[in-house]
Amino acid sequence: MVSWGNFTEAIFDGVPTGVIVIDAEGKIADINRFAVTLFQIEKADWVGRSASEIFPELDMSLIRQASSEQVPRKIDELSVQTNGNELILSAEVVPLIALGQTAGTILAFQDRTEAFRIREEILQAEKIAAIGSMAAGTVHEIRNPLTTIKGFLQLFEKDVQKLSGLGLVQKSFSDKCSNIFPLLLSEIHKIEQILRDFLLISKPQEVRFKVLRINDLLNEVMPKLQEFALLHDVSILCEFPRKNLKFIGDPEELKCVIMNLVQNSLEAISGNGEIKLSVETLEESFRLTVVDNGSGIPEEQLSAIFDPFITTKPDRPGLGLSVCQQVIARMGGSISITSEPGKGTTARVEIPCLHEDILNLEQIRPNYPKETALR
């Protein structure tokens, strides 16, 4: 015959909800099977430890309030770090009452990590859409007069050079113009780059997907990265996998992503520094990692790092990482940034791999010709 104790224990471990019992001293007294599985822990490692130690973001005053008033309290969002992963929970604190007295509290919760991730993606997409609708018209209105200004400036530069060669203008004026024209054209180039970033956000761009190999692509971009590094007195260490992994992507776009991430690292390093660029082989994908020992990113900025116009650099529009995120998403991958102020930043790009027997796009998308422009 099943005892009452066994019956209640079966219910405790069988409910599809995480349950943690916290005693009157704020220590964890018991954990059900759902919570153990979700957190991927050993039950004995948590039982007896302070709840505030396990859940630093848990408001213990809420626990005490629920216990003293004997009234349940809701927690809409509780972030928990476990085994290197962040989980987002929705929880309810319920007083545990025995013989009319409060013996502790029960923390009952559900895993909302995926729901919160989807919500964040929707909010991000809405931001991009709003900016995109504004950007499409703005870029057109700016680009036309800018092209005219650039054209006349280049003509003016040629005229000054011609007149200088004929000795019809003063040398001091000619020398001044030889310094001013490159500077003005360089600034126009910066504006054009910002407009191109705007266009990437405003509408889907034509991309040319190809079957690529990661080592080949990195070898193509490394000379440029080393050139950037020399200018900043920074060393770049590279770790490529033995296997030259295949994947689908737009080579020019991915090169821009890599250069953007390395450029961000270079600008975060003051004095002699180091950047590590490595590729790690996973089961169905590979992970490209860029690690620096720079100044790091403050926590309050990190949560919005992929939002357009979020930047710590006064001379930048803050579109680089937002564009990088869209480029990697089009390849079916993901990008993430972690950072610790004063110690450095790590950027991780994960992209799906192809099997070695895939030679070209026709084997994946029979309806598309080779190097088809996809939208």
Side-chain angles (χ1 to χ4, degrees):
M1 185 175 178
V2 179
S3 69
W4 179 252
N6 290 338
F7 182 66
T8 54
E9 186 176 344
I11 295 175
F12 181 68
D13 276 333
V15 292
T17 298
V19 180
I20 294 179
V21 180
I22 302 173
D23 65 20
E25 295 179 357
K27 294 182 179 179
I28 294 175
D30 205 354
I31 310 171
N32 77 339
R33 187 180 300 144
F34 184 96
V36 168
T37 303
L38 177 65
F39 295 133
Q40 299 178 4
I41 58 158
E42 294 293 331
K43 187 174 181 177
D45 292 340
W46 279 22
V47 172
R49 293 173 61 184
S50 169
S52 60
E53 178 190 353
I54 299 296
F55 304 108
E57 295 194 19
L58 180 62
D59 186 356
M60 293 305 293
S61 65
L62 198 67
I63 301 289
R64 290 189 290 270
Q65 189 178 29
S67 179
S68 61
E69 297 177 4
Q70 297 189 353
V71 176
R73 300 289 177 184
K74 285 189 175 182
I75 302 173
D76 294 326
E77 184 176 339
L78 177 62
S79 175
V80 180
Q81 296 286 342
T82 174
N83 292 322
N85 298 317
E86 182 185 26
L87 298 176
I88 306 296
L89 313 176
S90 62
E92 187 168 3
V93 181
V94 181
L96 183 60
I97 301 171
L99 301 176
Q101 299 293 319
T102 303
T105 51
I106 294 173
L107 182 67
F109 55 85
Q110 289 286 345
D111 182 14
R112 301 294 184 208
T113 308
E114 185 65 13
F116 274 92
R117 184 189 65 79
I118 293 171
R119 187 187 71 176
E120 290 300 314
E121 287 182 358
I122 291 171
L123 289 174
Q124 181 73 1
E126 289 175 348
K127 286 181 185 177
I128 297 295
I131 292 168
S133 62
M134 174 197 73
T138 305
V139 168
H140 177 74
E141 294 300 326
I142 295 174
R143 178 175 276 177
N144 286 346
L146 188 67
T147 302
T148 303
I149 293 169
K150 183 179 179 180
F152 277 106
L153 192 60
Q154 288 170 331
L155 287 173
F156 187 30
E157 182 181 22
K158 289 180 181 178
D159 288 343
V160 170
Q161 289 172 349
K162 186 185 294 185
L163 292 171
S164 177
L166 296 172
L168 298 176
V169 295
Q170 293 181 352
K171 188 178 184 303
S172 60
F173 176 77
S174 175
D175 291 343
K176 187 179 290 185
C177 287
S178 67
N179 292 324
I180 290 175
F181 283 127
L183 177 62
L184 292 175
L185 290 170
S186 173
E187 294 303 308
I188 289 175
H189 178 73
K190 287 181 183 178
I191 297 172
E192 288 175 331
Q193 183 59 54
I194 292 171
L195 294 178
R196 281 194 289 271
D197 288 344
F198 263 122
L199 282 177
L200 282 171
I201 290 176
S202 67
K203 61 183 180 181
Q205 296 297 296
E206 182 177 302
V207 292
R208 294 192 175 274
F209 287 130
K210 299 178 183 178
V211 175
L212 306 171
R213 288 189 180 272
I214 185 58
N215 288 3
D216 295 346
L217 186 133
L218 289 173
N219 284 325
E220 288 180 26
V221 79
M222 276 309 299
K224 191 69 175 177
L225 298 181
Q226 294 289 5
E227 184 182 324
F228 286 165
L230 283 172
L231 291 173
H232 289 78
D233 197 23
V234 172
S235 60
I236 296 184
L237 305 178
C238 301
E239 246 181 67
F240 295 175
R242 291 183 179 179
K243 188 175 181 182
N244 199 358
L245 302 168
K246 283 185 179 181
F247 66 101
I248 291 179
D250 184 312
E252 297 309 315
E253 283 197 341
L254 188 54
K255 286 177 190 176
C256 287
V257 169
I258 295 169
M259 285 193 287
N260 188 291
L261 295 177
V262 172
Q263 184 67 34
N264 286 345
S265 291
L266 289 171
E267 292 173 355
I269 296 172
S270 57
N272 293 333
E274 184 178 271
I275 296 173
K276 293 181 181 177
L277 196 155
S278 62
V279 177
E280 178 187 359
T281 305
L282 306 177
E283 288 187 7
E284 299 292 335
S285 61
F286 67 86
R287 181 184 296 131
L288 172 71
T289 305
V290 179
V291 182
D292 66 60
N293 59 353
S295 57
I297 304 168
E299 187 177 349
E300 61 272 13
Q301 293 178 350
L302 198 59
S303 59
I305 197 71
F306 293 108
D307 288 356
F309 309 115
I310 299 298
T311 180
T312 58
K313 308 175 187 76
D315 60 336
R316 296 289 187 85
L319 295 172
L321 285 176
S322 181
V323 171
C324 288
Q325 188 181 47
Q326 291 191 56
V327 167
I328 299 303
R330 283 200 291 271
M331 296 181 187
S334 62
I335 180 171
S336 62
I337 306 284
T338 56
S339 187
E340 191 172 346
K343 292 190 176 180
T345 300
T346 300
R348 296 179 180 87
V349 176
E350 192 168 323
I351 297 176
C353 289
L354 286 178
H355 293 293
E356 276 300 313
D357 56 351
I358 302 294
L359 301 176
N360 51 53
L361 285 183
E362 290 94 324
Q363 293 175 261
I364 306 167
R365 295 186 172 99
N367 296 328
Y368 289 105
K370 188 178 181 181
E371 296 187 8
T372 298
L374 302 177
R375 292 181 181 273

